[in-house]
Amino acid sequence: MKLDSSAFSANALIPPKYTCDGQDISPPLQWDEPPPGTQSFVLIVDDPDAPGRTFVHWVVYDIPAVVRELPQQVPTQKTLADGSIQGRNDFGKFGYGGPCPPSGTHRYFFKLYALDQTLGLAEGATKDKVVAAMEGHILASAELIGRYSRQR
């Protein structure tokens, strides 16, 4: 599988529009055909360069297997129109929370997983709960890395 965005290319800078310095909206994401047997997708966005621990910016799970993209500005509601469920990020909110590094340039890992089942977790599950539920059910994964430093 391959994960792309029309907003930024792999290892490039994420435009400020998608960060705390701009509109803080989610970037558009697209992916190609998953392996046979895919029942759902999970998307996790995190920052391993955050001070002290990896900071979670976005968790979406039970994305239907027929979906091939997340549009720009996904609403920050618990359940999306297509049935996808959003987890709680480390800002303590549902949905996307954009890059907002305290200093320096940080890397943001957009990770998409194709699963052989839906997870059936309640709304607002944390990354840790989602990762534990995915164990043994990942058919394929794809990753897109963007970078960002604050515009001060």
Side-chain angles (χ1 to χ4, degrees), residues 81-115:
D82 65 7
S84 301
I85 301 171
Q86 299 203 83
R88 193 173 296 278
N89 62 37
D90 282 348
F91 293 109
K93 299 178 179 174
F94 287 90
Y96 178 82
C100 199
S103 64
T105 300
H106 287 215
R107 296 168 299 153
Y108 297 87
F109 287 71
F110 291 73
K111 295 176 271 194
L112 182 75
Y113 301 91
L115 306 182

Side-chain angles (χ1 to χ4, degrees), residues 42-126:
V42 168
L43 177 73
I44 296 173
V45 180
D46 57 24
D47 169 9
D49 301 320
R53 65 185 172 96
T54 297
F55 194 90
V56 179
H57 287 265
W58 199 12
V59 178
V60 190
Y61 46 97
D62 290 352
I63 301 168
V66 296
V67 172
R68 295 292 175 272
E69 67 178 352
L70 288 172
Q72 174 178 279
Q73 198 170 356
V74 169
T76 54
Q77 59 201 41
K78 296 176 183 178
T79 302
L80 302 175
D82 65 7
S84 301
I85 301 171
Q86 299 203 83
R88 193 173 296 278
N89 62 37
D90 282 348
F91 293 109
K93 299 178 179 174
F94 287 90
Y96 178 82
C100 199
S103 64
T105 300
H106 287 215
R107 296 168 299 153
Y108 297 87
F109 287 71
F110 291 73
K111 295 176 271 194
L112 182 75
Y113 301 91
L115 306 182
D116 66 2
Q117 66 173 21
T118 55
L119 298 180
L121 296 171
E123 298 166 335
T126 62

Side-chain angles (χ1 to χ4, degrees), residues 3 9 25-26 30 38 45 58 81 89 104 120 123 125 133:
L3 177 63
S9 54
I25 59 173
S26 61
Q30 309 82 36
T38 298
V45 180
W58 199 12
N89 62 37
E123 298 166 335

Side-chain angles (χ1 to χ4, degrees), residues 3-10 15 18 26-31 70 110 144:
L3 177 63
D4 289 305
S5 177
S6 57
F8 63 96
S9 54
Y18 305 106
S26 61
L29 298 169
Q30 309 82 36
W31 54 92
L70 288 172
F110 291 73
L144 174 65

